[in-house]
Amino acid sequence: MRPKTRNQADALPEYCTNPEQALAALICLMSRFPARRSQAVAAAIIIHLRLIRDDPRLSHVVRDCADNLIEEWEAYAALCAPDAAISQWHLPN
């Protein structure tokens, strides 16, 4: 679920004053995904990738990397949907 504020970072802890906090949270979420394969975790990862992509205080290298990963994580989230077939549980390369 997306925060309903104009700027998503405003709704999240310390992201307004410390954008690296979003990056640290993203790393933690990504490290937990393989064990859980949860649609909620994938959705949180996508939100964080978008926050990072859209934050001009972060380097363009980090922002471009986040932007390039969004589509892949949307695919992971789709694989976690309750109606996804078991045969689709091979994560994209």
Side-chain angles (χ1 to χ4, degrees), residues 12-77:
L12 301 170
E14 298 184 32
Y15 294 177
C16 289
T17 58
N18 188 359
E20 291 85 6
Q21 190 73 26
L23 187 54
L26 175 64
I27 293 168
C28 289
L29 287 164
M30 287 178 150
S31 70
R32 287 172 176 82
F33 181 79
R36 290 169 179 71
R37 292 190 183 185
S38 160
Q39 192 173 24
V41 174
I45 289 169
I46 294 164
I47 288 169
H48 282 77
L49 286 169
R50 289 178 180 151
L51 285 168
I52 291 164
R53 174 197 65 195
D54 297 339
D55 194 328
R57 298 172 295 175
L58 296 170
S59 77
H60 71 86
V61 173
V62 172
R63 291 177 19 231
D64 288 347
C65 179
D67 187 46
N68 290 332
L69 290 171
I70 291 171
E71 189 175 310
E72 185 173 337
W73 280 96
E74 289 171 340
Y76 292 157

